[in-house]
Amino acid sequence: MARRSNNDGLGKAQSLLSTAFPRVILNDTTLRDGEQAPGVAFWIDEKLAIARALARAGVPEIEVGTPAIGVHEIAAIRAIVAADLPLKAIAWCRMRLDDVDAAVASGVGMINLSVPVSDVQIAAKLRGGRAEVLDRITSVVNYARMKGLDVSVGGEDSSRASVDFLMEVVAVAKEAGARRFRLADTLSVLDPFTTFNLVAILREATDLELEIHAHDDLGLATANTLAAIQAGASHASVTVIGLGERAGNAPLEEVAMALVQISGRETGIIPSELVRVANVVSEAAKRPVPLNKAIVGGHVFTHESGIHVDGLLKDRHTYQALDPVVLGRDHDFVIGKHSGIASIKASLAKLDLCASTAELTTILARVRAHAIATKGAVTLEKLTAIWREVSDANTERHVTSP
Ligand SMILES: [Zn+2]
């Protein structure tokens, strides 16, 4: 019973955290940064289907696209806005007046105005240095506000920027009327510890909404996103199955589930919709969901190992931290090289078959040999055939024995 009291303690701590901190807002950018993944191009009906699936999953904000790309992109954004889904549609723009005009034509109510903030990017992309960055923020954010748009200022390559300059950027953005600053780890150079420190400094310096935008080149996007939220970020950019530029972005399903599971933070995401969203995006992007993809992969609740299956059959809490039922899924057991007697017995029971202890040992040996030879799990049909061979041989032995 010790386990139960530990869980109760954890539950209490989590509910305290939930009341102490407001809901974390996830901003899904599958339709913008996700589409920037090489070779991915969504058609308008696919964009609408993705937006609908995200709305159904309770995602409160989505980045719908980049209006400056042209009339087709604007038409797609207009179609999503016209669908009147229960989410905020945000367009991505460069820090330019003509990009703002294109966003106005797309019908969105909020934009992310992106501007390079690291010295290396400023030197390569803008002539006027840091001063030009600040001037552009002032003029373009003011212009967008005049046009009635809510504004997030996106600091491109924030993670390689001088912290002092970031503080200036944030102050000027607020002064110009922005409501949010996006800290973009564009090149994925952060780890959770530096992310926490950086966001904590910004959190202390401003009352703007803070959004973390993490990339996954080192496999740290989810961890960095959690660290940023722990340090006070109010918003997080995510994409479905992590689809995005290079190694992609922080995956929606991982961030949503880790926040509630580990940090006790609510996002409003409906877990049982996550597999559906992943399938919609996977199909439109022509990117299969890897079997071992956290939360939504086909095999993440499938067990073969004898030790784990035996434990799960006795008490699911032995090897279950995340309850698959929350995701509308369930455990699945397969038999193969790593199976033990308990899983063979359970699989035979499913087939209404039984075997003696000696027969089970023989069946297990044959199951393992078949799995090794075929490099795969053993189907129930094959198990039935093995059971028949073993029990027939046994009957023969009994019949022919003196
Ligand atoms: Zn990005």
Side-chain angles (χ1 to χ4, degrees):
M1 286 292 103
R3 174 179 54 75
R4 288 195 196 284
S5 65
N6 281 347
N7 277 354
D8 288 349
L10 187 63
K12 270 179 200 154
Q14 287 179 339
S15 76
L16 276 175
L17 270 168
S18 323
T19 46
F21 298 104
R23 180 174 278 202
V24 179
I25 307 294
L26 299 188
N27 178 2
D28 185 280
T29 181
T30 304
L31 294 176
R32 199 277 301 173
D33 219 350
E35 202 189 25
Q36 285 178 216
V40 174
F42 298 132
W43 297 333
I44 287 190
D45 60 333
E46 291 170 333
K47 288 191 177 201
L48 261 170
I50 292 170
R52 286 187 202 284
L54 289 167
R56 191 172 161 156
V59 174
E61 292 187 350
I62 61 172
E63 211 165 47
V64 274
T66 306
I69 288 176
V71 289
H72 291 299
E73 183 82 349
I74 290 175
I77 297 173
R78 287 201 76 85
I80 294 169
V81 172
D84 201 22
L85 300 169
L87 44 70
K88 187 186 284 183
I90 304 170
W92 189 93
C93 303
R94 294 163 296 180
M95 190 66 76
R96 289 170 50 149
L97 299 178
D98 51 346
D99 275 30
V100 174
D101 290 335
V104 170
S106 76
V108 295
M110 182 166 176
I111 54 175
N112 177 79
L113 288 167
S114 179
V115 66
V117 290
S118 66
D119 287 332
V120 59
Q121 286 209 353
I122 294 169
K125 294 165 79 168
L126 300 173
R127 286 197 189 131
R130 289 183 180 184
E132 187 182 339
V133 172
L134 299 177
D135 285 350
R136 280 201 190 195
I137 292 173
T138 301
S139 58
V140 182
V141 173
N142 262 312
Y143 181 69
R145 295 291 296 132
M146 238 174 49
K147 294 280 182 181
L149 296 169
D150 276 341
V151 174
S152 165
V153 168
E156 188 182 11
D157 204 15
S158 289
S159 40
R160 293 194 300 169
S162 131
V163 175
D164 288 343
F165 184 58
L166 274 186
M167 309 275 259
E168 276 185 77
V169 166
V170 167
V172 169
K174 180 176 163 83
E175 180 66 26
R179 59 179 293 167
R180 184 182 308 174
F181 177 72
R182 171 185 287 179
L183 189 155
D185 184 20
T186 309
L187 298 185
S188 194
V189 300
L190 293 177
D191 65 38
F193 312 103
T194 44
T195 305
F196 184 93
N197 292 337
L198 185 54
V199 174
I201 290 168
L202 290 174
R203 182 70 292 160
E204 186 72 24
T206 182
D207 60 359
L208 284 181
E209 296 169 349
L210 284 179
E211 178 172 330
I212 179 70
H213 180 93
H215 277 274
D216 205 32
D217 298 63
L218 298 174
L220 293 172
T222 299
N224 290 343
T225 301
L226 294 188
I229 289 163
Q230 193 78 27
S234 51
H235 292 65
S237 296
V238 290
T239 63
V240 177
I241 58 172
L243 187 70
E245 189 86 27
R246 308 185 309 273
N249 298 53
L252 162 71
E253 58 280 359
E254 290 182 16
V255 172
M257 292 313 297
L259 277 172
V260 73
Q261 185 84 2
I262 295 172
S263 313
R265 300 290 300 274
E266 288 298 332
T267 60
I269 304 298
I270 300 160
S272 57
E273 289 293 324
L274 289 170
V275 170
R276 185 199 309 268
V277 185
N279 289 338
V280 170
V281 170
S282 158
E283 197 168 311
K286 299 202 175 304
R287 296 276 188 104
V289 179
L291 289 174
N292 64 339
K293 174 76 192 65
I295 316 296
V296 294
H299 276 186
V300 296
F301 296 107
T302 301
H303 311 272
E304 179 188 309
S305 152
I307 294 169
H308 287 222
V309 172
D310 187 41
L312 281 163
L313 290 173
K314 286 173 179 153
D315 176 355
R316 293 204 165 193
H317 295 95
T318 51
Y319 289 100
Q320 172 190 291
L322 175 60
D323 186 349
V325 171
V326 171
L327 299 160
R329 307 185 63 178
D330 201 356
H331 292 286
D332 192 18
F333 302 107
V334 295
I335 49 173
K337 178 186 169 185
H338 306 96
S339 292
I341 290 287
S343 39
I344 299 292
K345 212 170 167 180
S347 296
L348 287 176
K350 250 193 258 175
L351 297 162
D352 267 338
L353 302 174
C354 55
S356 68
T357 307
E359 285 170 338
L360 281 172
T361 308
T362 313
I363 291 170
L364 176 60
R366 292 196 188 181
V367 161
R368 285 178 173 167
H370 184 77
I372 292 165
T374 58
K375 283 186 177 289
V378 175
T379 62
L380 290 181
E381 289 73 30
K382 181 65 192 172
L383 176 66
T384 308
I386 293 173
W387 172 85
R388 189 164 295 123
E389 283 163 23
V390 172
S391 59
D392 285 354
N394 219 9
T395 313
E396 245 170 62
R397 212 168 31 247
H398 283 304
V399 170
T400 54
S401 292

